[in-house]
Amino acid sequence: MAELHLKSYRFRAEREDDWRRLEKLLTKVGKGSPNALSDEELLALPVLYRQALSSLSVARATSLDQGLVDYLESLSTRAYFLVYGTRSNLAERLGGFFGRAWPQAARALWRETLASFLLTLIGVAAAYFLTLHDPDWFSAFVPDGLAGGRGPTASVEAMRATLYDKGEHHGLSVFAAFLFTHNSGVAIFAFALGFAFCLPTAMLMAYNGAMLGAFLAVFGMRGLGFEAGGWLAIHGVTEISAVILAGAAGLKIGWTLAFPGDLSRPAAMAQAGRQAATLMAGVVVMLFCAGILEGVGRQVIQNDLARYGVALATLVAWPAYLYLPRRRSAA
């Protein structure tokens, strides 16, 4: 034991000045910024870091006292983040999110997104055909508050008028606001409920699709299916896509919780959580875009073909942005 202490003492005495100098530089940066260092200190920093790293390696290899090893580990870690750590401003972070992180998260969760889309599609198809054959099903899928008097008993003219309302008469503008709020809530719940092993998220996606299918069915029964499709699609492509992505994030969380795979459950959940959280940040952006299309685009654009044109543009743009391969950055 005495020999070990002697070796540690000699080892420390031969190198401690360099460690102290590195520690002093780190403290100086911690109180201000790297700009506080002189040119000479900036040049010395990586040299001192490598010396500390070499000392740590030797200390570990020769089994010096644990206190010395812990000190060198802490010093080397602090120096590493200063020498190699990335520092970016807000613009660079936003660029990284929109340029890489969000599309990468979307591509990583493509299976969950496909499942979320199919669940929504099943809900749309089931409710559409059920309502078409028995209009009483409409009230089972669409709450009275959301229907706002529109339904199987409304006249054709009343239904048509709501599709081209510009907001002055509180036609579908109220319904649109309600629908947007509803879909935003669905997106949040679809993600949050994923922690319950996917089932609530799956049911929510199917129900949201069912509500959409029932809505389209009642307009289709009045011969207004094409017009209602344009009214909905101009913002619905973006909004419903956001809900589907939120459902994918929820399914990812729930599936990982149930089946963590090769990783430990905490590690797998941490990885899934990062991907899902990034995707949800993108969902917020999409809902914001949908809100603009809904609040402005649909009020201004009253032509059905123009509405479909905008919807088609968003239908192409979002998948192209999220899923088309892109060149990796040099970094």
Side-chain angles (χ1 to χ4, degrees):
M1 183 63 71
E3 184 180 354
L4 176 62
H5 284 299
L6 182 60
K7 284 174 59 179
S8 296
Y9 174 79
R10 289 176 177 170
F11 184 81
R12 181 189 291 269
E14 291 171 358
R15 298 166 175 80
E16 193 168 21
D17 288 345
D18 291 335
W19 304 343
R20 296 298 181 196
R21 188 182 177 198
L22 176 59
E23 192 172 4
K24 184 179 177 181
L25 294 181
L26 295 176
T27 302
K28 189 174 182 180
V29 172
K31 291 180 179 178
S33 71
N35 294 331
L37 301 181
S38 65
D39 291 343
E40 181 183 355
E41 289 171 330
L42 282 173
L43 292 173
L45 189 61
V47 176
L48 293 171
Y49 165 66
R50 286 193 291 272
Q51 289 175 347
L53 210 57
S54 174
S55 298
L56 174 61
S57 177
V58 173
R60 283 173 172 167
T62 55
S63 302
L64 297 181
D65 71 86
Q66 188 60 40
L68 179 61
V69 173
D70 292 343
Y71 167 76
L72 289 172
E73 284 180 343
S74 174
L75 184 64
S76 300
T77 302
R78 291 172 60 198
Y80 172 83
F81 284 111
L82 180 60
V83 174
Y84 297 108
T86 57
R87 289 175 289 278
S88 56
N89 55 34
L90 179 61
E92 290 171 336
R93 291 183 181 183
L94 288 175
F97 172 75
F98 286 104
R100 294 185 302 276
W102 182 16
Q104 285 174 357
R107 287 196 293 274
L109 271 63
W110 71 269
R111 296 179 185 83
E112 291 81 1
T113 303
L114 180 60
S116 181
F117 169 73
L118 291 177
L119 286 167
T120 302
L121 188 62
I122 290 171
V124 171
Y128 182 86
F129 287 107
L130 284 172
T131 305
L132 207 59
H133 288 85
D134 183 357
D136 289 342
W137 277 100
F138 178 80
S139 59
F141 297 120
V142 182
D144 291 339
L146 187 57
R150 286 163 288 274
T153 59
S155 67
V156 174
E157 290 309 316
M159 299 280 280
R160 184 191 300 277
T162 60
L163 294 174
Y164 303 102
D165 178 79
K166 294 185 177 180
E168 301 94 341
H169 305 297
H170 305 291
L172 279 189
S173 58
V174 176
F175 173 75
F178 195 110
L179 187 63
F180 178 77
T181 304
H182 169 84
N183 282 334
S184 300
V186 169
I188 295 170
F189 276 111
F191 173 64
L193 293 176
F195 286 93
F197 300 102
C198 297
L199 289 179
T201 297
M203 294 173 64
L204 191 57
M205 298 311 299
Y207 172 70
N208 200 51
M211 194 186 65
L212 178 62
F215 170 82
L216 291 174
V218 293
F219 279 90
M221 291 162 60
R222 297 290 184 272
L224 297 171
F226 179 79
E227 293 85 345
W231 179 89
L232 183 67
I234 188 172
H235 84 288
V237 170
T238 300
E239 189 172 311
I240 295 170
S241 297
V243 175
I244 289 173
L245 288 177
L251 292 176
K252 176 66 176 179
I253 293 294
W255 187 265
T256 304
L257 185 62
F259 306 102
D262 297 332
L263 299 175
S264 65
R265 182 166 278 107
M269 286 299 294
Q271 185 183 65
R274 284 192 293 271
Q275 291 176 330
T278 302
L279 194 61
M280 282 303 295
V283 166
V284 173
V285 174
M286 293 181 74
L287 288 174
F288 176 76
C289 294
I292 294 175
L293 288 170
E294 181 175 339
V296 179
R298 187 168 54 204
Q299 311 302 329
V300 174
I301 302 173
Q302 297 287 301
N303 181 275
D304 293 327
L305 292 179
R307 286 176 171 179
Y308 274 104
V310 174
L312 181 61
T314 58
L315 185 63
V316 173
W318 286 118
Y321 164 65
L322 292 175
Y323 298 109
L324 282 183
R326 59 199 67 193
R327 189 169 53 186
R328 292 179 182 274
S329 64

